[in-house]
Amino acid sequence: MCGVAGIVLASPQSANHSVSVSVPRILEAQHHRGPDARGLWQDPDGGAVLGHNRLAIVDLTDTGAQPMHDDEGRFVIIYNGELYNYKALRKYLETRFAVRFRGASDTEVFLYGIKHLGVDRFLGEAEGMFAAAIYDRQTRRLMLVRDRAGEKPLCYALRPEGLVFASEVKALVEGLGAPPTLDDSALYLYFLLRYVPAPFTLFAGIKKVPAGHYLIWEPGKAPDVRPYFSWDQGANEIAPSQGNFDAVVNKVEQHLVESLNGCLMSDVPLGFFLSGGIDSSLVAALARRHFGLSINTYTVGFEGDPESETQISEQTAKIIGSRHVSRTLKSADLGTLSRGLIERMDEPNGDRSCVPTFLLCQHARSEVTVALGGDGGDELFGGYGRYPGLRHSLPEGLFPRGHDAALAYFQASLPVFGAPALAKVGVMPTREVDDWLASASTSLLPPRNAEVAIRYFDFATYLPGAVLSKVDRMAMQVSLEVRTPFFSRALLGWSSVLPHEFLINGAMLKPVLRGMAQKLGLGHIVNLPKKGFGMPGAFLKANAAELSTRGAAALDVLNTHPLLSPQMRGLGDRLRPVVGANANSLWATIVLGEWLRALPAR
Protein backbone atom coordinates (compact mmCIF):
# COMPACT_ATOMS: atom_id res chain seq x y z
CA MET A 1 0.00 0.00 0.00
CA CYS A 2 1.40 3.30 -1.03
CA GLY A 3 0.63 6.83 -2.12
CA VAL A 4 0.96 8.32 -5.60
CA ALA A 5 1.19 11.95 -6.70
CA GLY A 6 2.14 13.87 -9.79
CA ILE A 7 1.62 16.63 -12.29
CA VAL A 8 1.78 16.56 -16.07
CA LEU A 9 2.23 20.07 -17.37
CA ALA A 10 0.17 21.63 -20.12
CA SER A 11 3.46 22.82 -21.55
CA PRO A 12 7.03 22.03 -20.49
CA GLN A 13 7.67 25.76 -20.60
CA SER A 14 5.17 26.27 -17.77
CA ALA A 15 7.48 24.60 -15.25
CA ASN A 16 8.35 26.90 -12.37
CA HIS A 17 9.23 26.73 -8.70
CA SER A 18 5.63 26.35 -7.48
CA VAL A 19 5.13 23.38 -9.82
CA SER A 20 8.36 21.71 -8.72
CA VAL A 21 7.40 21.87 -5.03
CA SER A 22 3.72 20.87 -5.44
CA VAL A 23 4.38 17.13 -5.69
CA PRO A 24 6.74 17.03 -2.67
CA ARG A 25 4.04 18.87 -0.68
CA ILE A 26 1.51 16.20 -1.65
CA LEU A 27 3.90 13.41 -0.67
CA GLU A 28 4.49 15.01 2.70
CA ALA A 29 0.73 15.34 3.30
CA GLN A 30 0.12 11.64 2.55
CA HIS A 31 3.29 10.32 4.20
CA HIS A 32 1.22 7.91 6.31
CA ARG A 33 0.35 5.94 3.17
CA GLY A 34 3.97 4.98 2.62
CA PRO A 35 6.43 5.70 5.43
CA ASP A 36 9.14 3.31 4.21
CA ALA A 37 10.50 5.41 1.33
CA ARG A 38 9.76 8.42 -0.84
CA GLY A 39 10.63 8.67 -4.53
CA LEU A 40 10.52 11.65 -6.88
CA TRP A 41 11.11 11.82 -10.64
CA GLN A 42 11.27 14.94 -12.80
CA ASP A 43 11.07 14.64 -16.55
CA PRO A 44 14.39 15.91 -18.00
CA ASP A 45 12.30 17.59 -20.69
CA GLY A 46 10.35 19.46 -18.01
CA GLY A 47 6.96 17.94 -18.84
CA ALA A 48 6.07 16.06 -15.66
CA VAL A 49 6.86 15.37 -12.01
CA LEU A 50 5.87 12.05 -10.42
CA GLY A 51 6.19 11.07 -6.75
CA HIS A 52 5.62 7.99 -4.61
CA ASN A 53 5.16 7.15 -0.92
CA ARG A 54 6.22 3.51 -0.39
CA LEU A 55 4.89 0.99 2.10
CA ALA A 56 7.06 -1.98 1.17
CA ILE A 57 5.09 -5.26 0.99
CA VAL A 58 6.46 -7.26 -1.98
CA ASP A 59 10.10 -7.08 -3.15
CA LEU A 60 11.57 -5.03 -0.33
CA THR A 61 14.75 -4.28 -2.33
CA ASP A 62 15.58 -1.16 -4.30
CA THR A 63 14.41 -2.87 -7.52
CA GLY A 64 10.85 -2.31 -6.25
CA ALA A 65 11.38 1.41 -5.69
CA GLN A 66 9.25 3.95 -7.55
CA PRO A 67 8.83 5.91 -9.77
CA MET A 68 9.84 3.06 -12.10
CA HIS A 69 10.81 3.18 -15.79
CA ASP A 70 10.59 0.59 -18.54
CA ASP A 71 13.78 -0.58 -20.25
CA GLU A 72 13.54 2.10 -22.95
CA GLY A 73 12.93 4.96 -20.54
CA ARG A 74 9.70 5.87 -22.34
CA PHE A 75 7.09 4.82 -19.77
CA VAL A 76 7.16 5.81 -16.09
CA ILE A 77 4.84 4.31 -13.48
CA ILE A 78 3.82 5.06 -9.90
CA TYR A 79 1.61 2.43 -8.36
CA ASN A 80 -0.40 1.80 -5.19
CA GLY A 81 -1.77 -1.64 -4.42
CA GLU A 82 -1.18 -5.29 -5.17
CA LEU A 83 -1.41 -7.32 -8.38
CA TYR A 84 -2.29 -10.75 -7.03
CA ASN A 85 -1.67 -12.71 -10.25
CA TYR A 86 1.54 -10.91 -11.12
CA LYS A 87 3.61 -14.12 -11.23
CA ALA A 88 1.42 -15.66 -13.95
CA LEU A 89 1.35 -12.38 -15.89
CA ARG A 90 5.11 -12.02 -15.51
CA LYS A 91 5.67 -15.50 -16.96
CA TYR A 92 3.42 -14.71 -19.91
CA LEU A 93 5.19 -11.41 -20.61
CA GLU A 94 8.59 -13.11 -20.45
CA THR A 95 7.48 -15.86 -22.85
CA ARG A 96 5.41 -13.82 -25.30
CA PHE A 97 7.34 -10.52 -25.41
CA ALA A 98 10.78 -11.55 -24.09
CA VAL A 99 10.53 -9.01 -21.28
CA ARG A 100 13.59 -9.02 -19.02
CA PHE A 101 12.51 -7.94 -15.56
CA ARG A 102 14.99 -6.17 -13.33
CA GLY A 103 13.35 -7.11 -10.02
CA ALA A 104 10.59 -9.18 -8.45
CA SER A 105 7.90 -6.54 -7.87
CA ASP A 106 4.33 -6.57 -9.14
CA THR A 107 4.77 -2.89 -10.10
CA GLU A 108 7.16 -3.84 -12.88
CA VAL A 109 4.67 -6.44 -14.16
CA PHE A 110 1.92 -3.80 -14.17
CA LEU A 111 4.14 -1.44 -16.18
CA TYR A 112 5.09 -3.98 -18.84
CA GLY A 113 1.58 -5.41 -18.94
CA ILE A 114 0.13 -2.02 -19.89
CA LYS A 115 2.99 -1.44 -22.35
CA HIS A 116 2.68 -4.73 -24.26
CA LEU A 117 -0.96 -5.75 -23.86
CA GLY A 118 -2.62 -2.35 -23.85
CA VAL A 119 -4.71 -0.98 -21.03
CA ASP A 120 -8.03 -2.72 -21.76
CA ARG A 121 -6.63 -6.20 -22.28
CA PHE A 122 -4.27 -5.96 -19.33
CA LEU A 123 -6.93 -4.70 -16.94
CA GLY A 124 -9.22 -7.48 -18.13
CA GLU A 125 -6.58 -9.98 -16.97
CA ALA A 126 -5.44 -8.21 -13.79
CA GLU A 127 -6.45 -9.54 -10.37
CA GLY A 128 -5.87 -7.12 -7.55
CA MET A 129 -6.46 -3.77 -5.96
CA PHE A 130 -4.64 -0.81 -7.43
CA ALA A 131 -4.44 2.83 -8.36
CA ALA A 132 -1.70 3.67 -10.82
CA ALA A 133 -0.37 6.46 -13.01
CA ILE A 134 1.56 5.69 -16.21
CA TYR A 135 3.21 8.53 -18.09
CA ASP A 136 4.32 8.20 -21.71
CA ARG A 137 7.25 10.56 -22.22
CA GLN A 138 7.07 10.28 -26.01
CA THR A 139 3.43 11.30 -26.43
CA ARG A 140 3.14 13.17 -23.09
CA ARG A 141 0.05 11.10 -22.40
CA LEU A 142 -0.96 10.38 -18.80
CA MET A 143 -3.06 7.40 -17.78
CA LEU A 144 -4.70 7.06 -14.35
CA VAL A 145 -6.10 3.61 -13.53
CA ARG A 146 -8.32 2.41 -10.66
CA ASP A 147 -9.26 -1.17 -9.70
CA ARG A 148 -12.64 -2.80 -10.38
CA ALA A 149 -14.21 -2.39 -6.96
CA GLY A 150 -12.57 0.87 -5.91
CA GLU A 151 -10.35 -0.40 -3.09
CA LYS A 152 -7.57 2.08 -3.85
CA PRO A 153 -8.25 5.83 -4.17
CA LEU A 154 -7.18 8.22 -6.91
CA CYS A 155 -8.20 11.84 -7.45
CA TYR A 156 -7.20 14.62 -9.85
CA ALA A 157 -7.66 18.26 -10.74
CA LEU A 158 -7.30 19.94 -14.13
CA ARG A 159 -5.57 23.28 -13.70
CA PRO A 160 -4.24 25.87 -16.16
CA GLU A 161 -0.71 24.60 -15.55
CA GLY A 162 -1.67 20.94 -16.13
CA LEU A 163 -3.31 17.89 -14.57
CA VAL A 164 -2.43 17.22 -10.93
CA PHE A 165 -3.28 13.97 -9.14
CA ALA A 166 -2.83 12.22 -5.80
CA SER A 167 -4.03 9.30 -3.70
CA GLU A 168 -5.81 11.52 -1.19
CA VAL A 169 -8.01 14.56 -1.61
CA LYS A 170 -6.63 16.70 1.22
CA ALA A 171 -3.10 15.98 0.07
CA LEU A 172 -4.01 17.15 -3.42
CA VAL A 173 -5.44 20.37 -1.98
CA GLU A 174 -2.15 20.86 -0.18
CA GLY A 175 -0.26 20.49 -3.44
CA LEU A 176 -2.51 22.89 -5.35
CA GLY A 177 -1.89 25.62 -2.81
CA ALA A 178 -4.92 27.67 -3.89
CA PRO A 179 -7.77 28.05 -1.37
CA PRO A 180 -10.47 25.43 -2.14
CA THR A 181 -14.22 25.88 -2.08
CA LEU A 182 -16.80 23.27 -1.20
CA ASP A 183 -18.82 21.66 -3.96
CA ASP A 184 -22.61 22.08 -3.48
CA SER A 185 -23.42 18.84 -5.31
CA ALA A 186 -21.00 16.86 -3.15
CA LEU A 187 -22.43 18.43 0.01
CA TYR A 188 -25.96 17.42 -0.98
CA LEU A 189 -24.86 13.87 -1.70
CA TYR A 190 -23.08 13.70 1.65
CA PHE A 191 -26.29 14.67 3.45
CA LEU A 192 -28.18 12.09 1.40
CA LEU A 193 -25.64 9.24 1.70
CA ARG A 194 -23.19 10.24 4.51
CA TYR A 195 -20.31 9.83 2.05
CA VAL A 196 -19.22 11.56 -1.16
CA PRO A 197 -19.44 9.22 -4.19
CA ALA A 198 -17.18 9.29 -7.24
CA PRO A 199 -16.61 11.27 -9.36
CA PHE A 200 -17.30 13.99 -6.78
CA THR A 201 -15.11 15.15 -3.93
CA LEU A 202 -16.13 17.69 -1.33
CA PHE A 203 -13.89 20.26 -3.04
CA ALA A 204 -14.95 21.99 -6.24
CA GLY A 205 -12.62 21.24 -9.15
CA ILE A 206 -11.24 18.00 -7.70
CA LYS A 207 -12.63 14.70 -9.00
CA LYS A 208 -12.20 11.02 -8.17
CA VAL A 209 -11.42 8.44 -10.83
CA PRO A 210 -14.42 6.08 -10.44
CA ALA A 211 -13.93 2.40 -9.63
CA GLY A 212 -13.49 0.24 -12.72
CA HIS A 213 -12.40 3.22 -14.84
CA TYR A 214 -9.24 4.71 -16.26
CA LEU A 215 -8.52 8.27 -17.31
CA ILE A 216 -6.44 9.39 -20.29
CA TRP A 217 -5.17 12.95 -20.59
CA GLU A 218 -2.98 14.70 -23.10
CA PRO A 219 -2.10 18.40 -22.94
CA GLY A 220 -4.63 20.52 -24.75
CA LYS A 221 -7.42 17.97 -24.40
CA ALA A 222 -10.14 17.28 -21.84
CA PRO A 223 -9.66 14.29 -19.50
CA ASP A 224 -11.20 11.17 -21.07
CA VAL A 225 -12.64 8.89 -18.36
CA ARG A 226 -13.47 5.41 -19.67
CA PRO A 227 -15.08 2.40 -17.96
CA TYR A 228 -13.39 -0.98 -18.31
CA PHE A 229 -15.50 -2.95 -15.81
CA SER A 230 -19.08 -2.92 -14.60
CA TRP A 231 -20.63 -5.61 -12.39
CA ASP A 232 -24.05 -6.44 -13.82
CA GLN A 233 -26.59 -9.25 -13.91
CA GLY A 234 -25.12 -12.25 -15.75
CA ALA A 235 -26.81 -13.48 -18.91
CA ASN A 236 -27.36 -17.09 -17.79
CA GLU A 237 -28.91 -17.22 -14.34
CA ILE A 238 -28.47 -20.55 -12.57
CA ALA A 239 -31.65 -22.60 -12.07
CA PRO A 240 -32.58 -22.76 -8.36
CA SER A 241 -32.25 -26.47 -7.47
CA GLN A 242 -30.63 -28.22 -4.52
CA GLY A 243 -28.10 -29.86 -6.79
CA ASN A 244 -27.14 -26.52 -8.30
CA PHE A 245 -26.96 -24.93 -4.85
CA ASP A 246 -24.48 -27.57 -3.63
CA ALA A 247 -22.44 -27.13 -6.82
CA VAL A 248 -22.37 -23.35 -6.38
CA VAL A 249 -21.20 -23.67 -2.76
CA ASN A 250 -18.32 -25.89 -3.89
CA LYS A 251 -17.45 -23.66 -6.84
CA VAL A 252 -17.47 -20.48 -4.75
CA GLU A 253 -15.23 -22.15 -2.17
CA GLN A 254 -12.82 -23.18 -4.94
CA HIS A 255 -12.64 -19.64 -6.34
CA LEU A 256 -12.33 -18.09 -2.88
CA VAL A 257 -9.35 -20.34 -2.15
CA GLU A 258 -7.80 -19.42 -5.51
CA SER A 259 -8.27 -15.73 -4.72
CA LEU A 260 -6.82 -16.21 -1.25
CA ASN A 261 -3.70 -17.73 -2.77
CA GLY A 262 -2.97 -14.39 -4.42
CA CYS A 263 -4.04 -12.27 -1.45
CA LEU A 264 -1.60 -14.11 0.82
CA MET A 265 1.48 -12.91 -1.12
CA SER A 266 3.60 -10.84 1.22
CA ASP A 267 7.19 -10.37 2.32
CA VAL A 268 6.03 -8.86 5.65
CA PRO A 269 3.89 -10.16 8.57
CA LEU A 270 0.23 -10.81 7.71
CA GLY A 271 -2.90 -11.26 9.86
CA PHE A 272 -6.69 -11.53 9.63
CA PHE A 273 -9.64 -9.48 10.79
CA LEU A 274 -12.16 -11.76 12.51
CA SER A 275 -15.62 -10.51 13.43
CA GLY A 276 -18.51 -12.69 14.50
CA GLY A 277 -19.83 -12.70 10.94
CA ILE A 278 -19.70 -15.10 8.03
CA ASP A 279 -17.34 -13.36 5.58
CA SER A 280 -14.22 -12.73 7.66
CA SER A 281 -14.68 -16.10 9.39
CA LEU A 282 -14.63 -17.89 6.04
CA VAL A 283 -11.50 -16.04 4.91
CA ALA A 284 -9.58 -16.99 8.06
CA ALA A 285 -10.90 -20.57 8.13
CA LEU A 286 -10.02 -21.21 4.48
CA ALA A 287 -6.51 -19.81 4.97
CA ARG A 288 -5.96 -22.22 7.83
CA ARG A 289 -7.48 -25.26 6.08
CA HIS A 290 -6.05 -24.90 2.58
CA PHE A 291 -2.68 -23.25 3.23
CA GLY A 292 -1.80 -24.58 6.69
CA LEU A 293 -0.84 -21.15 7.93
CA SER A 294 -0.35 -20.25 11.56
CA ILE A 295 -2.40 -17.08 11.65
CA ASN A 296 -3.13 -14.17 13.96
CA THR A 297 -6.73 -12.91 14.11
CA TYR A 298 -8.00 -9.61 15.51
CA THR A 299 -11.34 -8.23 16.60
CA VAL A 300 -12.78 -5.31 18.57
CA GLY A 301 -15.87 -5.01 20.73
CA PHE A 302 -17.72 -2.30 22.63
CA GLU A 303 -17.91 -1.80 26.36
CA GLY A 304 -21.36 -2.71 27.71
CA ASP A 305 -22.60 -4.17 24.40
CA PRO A 306 -24.74 -7.25 25.19
CA GLU A 307 -24.49 -8.35 21.55
CA SER A 308 -20.73 -8.00 21.26
CA GLU A 309 -19.16 -10.24 18.64
CA THR A 310 -15.99 -10.81 20.63
CA GLN A 311 -17.22 -14.04 22.20
CA ILE A 312 -18.31 -15.42 18.82
CA SER A 313 -15.01 -14.50 17.18
CA GLU A 314 -13.11 -16.11 20.05
CA GLN A 315 -15.11 -19.31 19.49
CA THR A 316 -14.34 -19.19 15.77
CA ALA A 317 -10.64 -18.66 16.49
CA LYS A 318 -10.63 -21.69 18.77
CA ILE A 319 -12.26 -23.86 16.08
CA ILE A 320 -9.89 -22.81 13.29
CA GLY A 321 -6.82 -22.71 15.54
CA SER A 322 -5.72 -19.10 15.24
CA ARG A 323 -3.92 -16.96 17.77
CA HIS A 324 -6.65 -14.46 18.60
CA VAL A 325 -6.51 -11.04 20.25
CA SER A 326 -9.55 -8.91 21.15
CA ARG A 327 -9.70 -5.26 22.09
CA THR A 328 -12.59 -3.35 23.65
CA LEU A 329 -13.56 0.24 22.88
CA LYS A 330 -14.47 1.90 26.16
CA SER A 331 -17.29 4.40 26.31
CA ALA A 332 -15.06 7.03 27.89
CA ASP A 333 -12.60 6.82 24.99
CA LEU A 334 -15.11 7.59 22.22
CA GLY A 335 -14.72 11.38 22.36
CA THR A 336 -10.94 11.59 22.21
CA LEU A 337 -10.56 8.76 19.72
CA SER A 338 -13.26 9.93 17.31
CA ARG A 339 -12.25 13.60 17.36
CA GLY A 340 -8.70 12.83 16.34
CA LEU A 341 -9.90 10.35 13.77
CA ILE A 342 -12.35 12.79 12.16
CA GLU A 343 -9.74 15.55 11.98
CA ARG A 344 -7.36 13.22 10.09
CA MET A 345 -9.99 11.92 7.64
CA ASP A 346 -9.22 12.53 3.99
CA GLU A 347 -12.89 13.22 3.31
CA PRO A 348 -15.79 13.12 5.76
CA ASN A 349 -17.31 9.65 6.04
CA GLY A 350 -20.38 9.52 8.29
CA ASP A 351 -20.41 5.74 8.55
CA ARG A 352 -20.49 4.94 12.27
CA SER A 353 -18.21 1.96 11.72
CA CYS A 354 -15.23 4.23 10.98
CA VAL A 355 -14.31 4.41 14.67
CA PRO A 356 -14.22 0.64 15.34
CA THR A 357 -12.56 0.05 11.95
CA PHE A 358 -9.76 2.44 12.87
CA LEU A 359 -9.37 0.75 16.26
CA LEU A 360 -9.24 -2.67 14.57
CA CYS A 361 -6.59 -1.47 12.11
CA GLN A 362 -4.56 0.11 14.89
CA HIS A 363 -4.88 -3.11 16.88
CA ALA A 364 -3.66 -5.30 13.99
CA ARG A 365 -0.87 -2.90 12.97
CA SER A 366 0.83 -3.39 16.32
CA GLU A 367 1.80 -6.86 15.06
CA VAL A 368 1.36 -7.07 11.26
CA THR A 369 1.70 -4.93 8.14
CA VAL A 370 -1.00 -6.67 6.06
CA ALA A 371 -4.48 -7.81 7.15
CA LEU A 372 -7.13 -9.78 5.28
CA GLY A 373 -10.85 -9.10 5.76
CA GLY A 374 -14.20 -10.03 4.27
CA ASP A 375 -15.44 -6.84 2.61
CA GLY A 376 -17.56 -7.44 -0.49
CA GLY A 377 -19.25 -10.62 0.68
CA ASP A 378 -22.50 -8.80 1.48
CA GLU A 379 -22.76 -7.11 -1.92
CA LEU A 380 -21.86 -10.20 -3.95
CA PHE A 381 -23.93 -12.75 -2.04
CA GLY A 382 -26.85 -10.72 -0.65
CA GLY A 383 -25.91 -10.19 2.98
CA TYR A 384 -27.49 -6.92 4.09
CA GLY A 385 -30.55 -7.03 6.33
CA ARG A 386 -32.07 -4.21 4.27
CA TYR A 387 -32.40 -6.45 1.19
CA PRO A 388 -35.33 -8.73 2.17
CA GLY A 389 -38.63 -7.05 1.44
CA LEU A 390 -37.34 -4.72 -1.28
CA ARG A 391 -39.50 -6.55 -3.83
CA HIS A 392 -42.47 -5.15 -1.94
CA SER A 393 -41.17 -1.70 -0.98
CA LEU A 394 -39.66 -1.15 -4.45
CA PRO A 395 -42.14 -3.06 -6.65
CA GLU A 396 -41.39 -3.17 -10.33
CA GLY A 397 -44.26 -0.99 -11.53
CA LEU A 398 -44.00 1.73 -8.88
CA PHE A 399 -40.71 3.32 -9.95
CA PRO A 400 -40.28 3.42 -13.73
CA ARG A 401 -37.15 5.56 -13.20
CA GLY A 402 -34.13 4.09 -11.44
CA HIS A 403 -33.54 7.59 -10.00
CA ASP A 404 -36.79 7.41 -8.00
CA ALA A 405 -36.19 3.83 -6.89
CA ALA A 406 -32.74 4.85 -5.58
CA LEU A 407 -34.18 7.74 -3.55
CA ALA A 408 -36.87 5.46 -2.10
CA TYR A 409 -34.17 2.92 -1.18
CA PHE A 410 -32.09 5.56 0.59
CA GLN A 411 -35.13 6.85 2.46
CA ALA A 412 -36.32 3.44 3.68
CA SER A 413 -33.13 1.43 4.06
CA LEU A 414 -30.16 3.80 4.41
CA PRO A 415 -31.67 6.84 6.13
CA VAL A 416 -29.52 9.87 6.83
CA PHE A 417 -31.46 13.08 6.24
CA GLY A 418 -33.46 11.89 3.26
CA ALA A 419 -34.43 13.89 0.17
CA PRO A 420 -37.87 14.97 1.55
CA ALA A 421 -36.38 16.38 4.77
CA LEU A 422 -33.61 18.16 2.86
CA ALA A 423 -36.15 19.72 0.51
CA LYS A 424 -38.24 20.82 3.49
CA VAL A 425 -35.32 22.85 4.87
CA GLY A 426 -34.34 24.24 1.47
CA VAL A 427 -31.36 22.02 0.60
CA MET A 428 -32.07 20.98 -2.97
CA PRO A 429 -30.29 18.67 -5.43
CA THR A 430 -28.30 20.20 -8.26
CA ARG A 431 -28.42 19.11 -11.89
CA GLU A 432 -25.18 17.19 -11.31
CA VAL A 433 -26.80 15.26 -8.44
CA ASP A 434 -29.78 14.29 -10.62
CA ASP A 435 -27.44 13.19 -13.40
CA TRP A 436 -25.39 11.07 -10.98
CA LEU A 437 -28.49 9.39 -9.55
CA ALA A 438 -29.79 8.60 -13.02
CA SER A 439 -26.44 7.14 -14.12
CA ALA A 440 -25.81 5.16 -10.93
CA SER A 441 -29.26 3.58 -10.72
CA THR A 442 -29.58 1.95 -14.14
CA SER A 443 -29.51 -1.48 -12.45
CA LEU A 444 -32.79 -0.54 -10.74
CA LEU A 445 -34.64 0.09 -13.99
CA PRO A 446 -37.50 -2.33 -14.66
CA PRO A 447 -37.85 -5.15 -15.38
CA ARG A 448 -35.94 -6.34 -12.35
CA ASN A 449 -36.26 -8.06 -8.98
CA ALA A 450 -35.17 -5.34 -6.55
CA GLU A 451 -33.74 -7.85 -4.07
CA VAL A 452 -31.34 -9.09 -6.76
CA ALA A 453 -30.69 -5.82 -8.60
CA ILE A 454 -29.90 -3.84 -5.44
CA ARG A 455 -26.58 -5.67 -5.13
CA TYR A 456 -25.31 -4.11 -8.36
CA PHE A 457 -26.44 -0.67 -7.23
CA ASP A 458 -24.69 -1.03 -3.86
CA PHE A 459 -21.56 -2.40 -5.56
CA ALA A 460 -21.33 0.70 -7.72
CA THR A 461 -22.17 3.25 -5.00
CA TYR A 462 -22.17 2.19 -1.34
CA LEU A 463 -19.28 -0.29 -1.57
CA PRO A 464 -16.61 2.04 -3.04
CA GLY A 465 -18.05 5.24 -1.55
CA ALA A 466 -18.66 4.21 2.06
CA VAL A 467 -17.14 0.79 2.78
CA LEU A 468 -13.88 0.50 0.84
CA SER A 469 -12.97 4.17 1.26
CA LYS A 470 -13.49 3.77 5.01
CA VAL A 471 -11.25 0.69 5.17
CA ASP A 472 -8.50 2.27 3.06
CA ARG A 473 -8.40 5.56 4.96
CA MET A 474 -8.64 4.02 8.45
CA ALA A 475 -5.96 1.47 7.59
CA MET A 476 -3.67 4.00 5.95
CA GLN A 477 -3.75 6.22 9.03
CA VAL A 478 -1.68 3.50 10.71
CA SER A 479 0.13 2.34 7.50
CA LEU A 480 -1.68 -1.01 7.34
CA GLU A 481 -2.56 -2.74 4.06
CA VAL A 482 -5.99 -4.43 4.06
CA ARG A 483 -7.01 -6.97 1.42
CA THR A 484 -10.18 -8.91 0.64
CA PRO A 485 -10.41 -12.01 -1.59
CA PHE A 486 -14.02 -11.41 -2.68
CA PHE A 487 -13.31 -9.30 -5.78
CA SER A 488 -11.65 -11.85 -8.05
CA ARG A 489 -12.98 -12.05 -11.60
CA ALA A 490 -14.24 -15.58 -10.99
CA LEU A 491 -16.21 -14.66 -7.86
CA LEU A 492 -17.66 -11.58 -9.51
CA GLY A 493 -18.74 -13.76 -12.41
CA TRP A 494 -20.31 -16.52 -10.35
CA SER A 495 -22.14 -14.18 -8.00
CA SER A 496 -23.68 -12.34 -10.98
CA VAL A 497 -25.66 -15.41 -12.09
CA LEU A 498 -27.11 -16.43 -8.71
CA PRO A 499 -30.90 -16.70 -8.61
CA HIS A 500 -32.93 -14.93 -5.94
CA GLU A 501 -33.32 -18.19 -3.99
CA PHE A 502 -29.52 -18.45 -3.59
CA LEU A 503 -29.34 -14.89 -2.20
CA ILE A 504 -32.32 -14.72 0.15
CA ASN A 505 -33.87 -17.97 1.40
CA GLY A 506 -36.80 -16.99 3.61
CA ALA A 507 -35.20 -15.13 6.52
CA MET A 508 -31.72 -16.46 5.66
CA LEU A 509 -29.25 -14.10 3.97
CA LYS A 510 -26.18 -15.27 2.06
CA PRO A 511 -27.21 -18.95 1.98
CA VAL A 512 -24.27 -19.81 -0.30
CA LEU A 513 -21.67 -18.52 2.15
CA ARG A 514 -23.58 -19.99 5.11
CA GLY A 515 -23.55 -23.35 3.35
CA MET A 516 -19.78 -23.06 3.01
CA ALA A 517 -19.44 -22.16 6.70
CA GLN A 518 -21.40 -25.30 7.61
CA LYS A 519 -19.01 -27.40 5.52
CA LEU A 520 -16.02 -25.87 7.31
CA GLY A 521 -17.34 -26.74 10.77
CA LEU A 522 -18.46 -23.21 11.66
CA GLY A 523 -22.00 -24.21 12.60
CA HIS A 524 -22.06 -21.75 15.50
CA ILE A 525 -22.27 -18.80 13.07
CA VAL A 526 -24.44 -20.32 10.32
CA ASN A 527 -27.77 -19.16 11.75
CA LEU A 528 -26.63 -15.91 13.34
CA PRO A 529 -28.27 -12.74 11.97
CA LYS A 530 -26.26 -10.08 10.15
CA LYS A 531 -24.76 -7.61 12.61
CA GLY A 532 -23.12 -4.46 11.30
CA PHE A 533 -19.79 -3.18 12.56
CA GLY A 534 -21.11 0.26 13.53
CA MET A 535 -21.15 1.53 17.07
CA PRO A 536 -24.20 -0.09 18.74
CA GLY A 537 -27.16 1.93 19.96
CA ALA A 538 -26.45 1.23 23.63
CA PHE A 539 -22.90 2.52 23.23
CA LEU A 540 -24.09 5.71 21.56
CA LYS A 541 -26.79 6.18 24.19
CA ALA A 542 -24.14 6.14 26.90
CA ASN A 543 -22.49 9.08 25.12
CA ALA A 544 -25.74 10.88 24.22
CA ALA A 545 -25.02 14.12 26.07
CA GLU A 546 -21.55 14.48 24.57
CA LEU A 547 -22.81 13.69 21.07
CA SER A 548 -25.60 16.25 21.39
CA THR A 549 -23.08 18.93 22.35
CA ARG A 550 -20.79 17.99 19.47
CA GLY A 551 -23.73 18.01 17.07
CA ALA A 552 -24.71 21.54 18.08
CA ALA A 553 -21.14 22.75 17.67
CA ALA A 554 -20.95 21.10 14.23
CA LEU A 555 -24.10 22.95 13.13
CA ASP A 556 -22.48 26.22 14.17
CA VAL A 557 -19.54 25.39 11.90
CA LEU A 558 -21.92 24.67 9.03
CA ASN A 559 -23.46 28.12 9.44
CA THR A 560 -20.41 30.21 8.74
CA HIS A 561 -17.52 28.13 7.46
CA PRO A 562 -15.58 30.23 4.93
CA LEU A 563 -15.39 27.44 2.34
CA LEU A 564 -19.18 27.25 2.00
CA SER A 565 -20.64 28.72 -1.18
CA PRO A 566 -23.03 31.68 -0.79
CA GLN A 567 -25.92 29.30 -1.51
CA MET A 568 -24.96 27.13 1.47
CA ARG A 569 -24.42 29.87 4.07
CA GLY A 570 -26.62 29.37 7.13
CA LEU A 571 -26.66 25.65 6.41
CA GLY A 572 -26.44 24.72 10.08
CA ASP A 573 -29.61 26.62 11.02
CA ARG A 574 -31.45 25.05 8.11
CA LEU A 575 -30.44 21.54 9.14
CA ARG A 576 -31.02 22.05 12.88
CA PRO A 577 -34.72 20.97 12.83
CA VAL A 578 -33.95 17.65 11.13
CA VAL A 579 -30.60 16.67 12.71
CA GLY A 580 -31.03 13.78 15.10
CA ALA A 581 -34.08 12.28 13.43
CA ASN A 582 -31.89 9.17 13.39
CA ALA A 583 -28.41 8.32 14.64
CA ASN A 584 -26.98 8.48 11.12
CA SER A 585 -27.92 12.13 10.58
CA LEU A 586 -26.46 13.20 13.94
CA TRP A 587 -23.18 11.36 13.45
CA ALA A 588 -22.86 12.53 9.82
CA THR A 589 -23.30 16.13 10.99
CA ILE A 590 -20.69 15.75 13.72
CA VAL A 591 -18.21 14.26 11.26
CA LEU A 592 -18.71 16.98 8.63
CA GLY A 593 -18.60 19.87 11.11
CA GLU A 594 -15.51 18.67 12.98
CA TRP A 595 -13.74 17.78 9.72
CA LEU A 596 -14.37 21.27 8.32
CA ARG A 597 -13.28 22.95 11.54
CA ALA A 598 -9.98 21.05 11.44
CA LEU A 599 -9.09 22.17 7.89
CA PRO A 600 -6.10 24.51 7.92
CA ALA A 601 -6.86 28.17 7.33
CA ARG A 602 -5.69 29.44 3.93
Side-chain angles (χ1 to χ4, degrees), residues 539-549 586:
F539 189 83
L540 293 173
K541 188 175 181 181
N543 290 273
E546 178 189 348
L547 293 176
S548 178
T549 300
L586 175 59

Side-chain angles (χ1 to χ4, degrees), residues 478-491:
V478 293
S479 303
L480 176 75
E481 175 166 299
V482 178
R483 305 171 180 172
T484 175
F486 279 100
F487 299 136
S488 71
R489 290 177 298 152
L491 286 171

Side-chain angles (χ1 to χ4, degrees), residues 515-530:
M516 193 189 309
Q518 188 72 58
K519 278 183 57 183
L520 293 172
L522 302 176
H524 66 294
I525 63 173
V526 167
N527 295 315
L528 292 178
K530 166 73 178 176

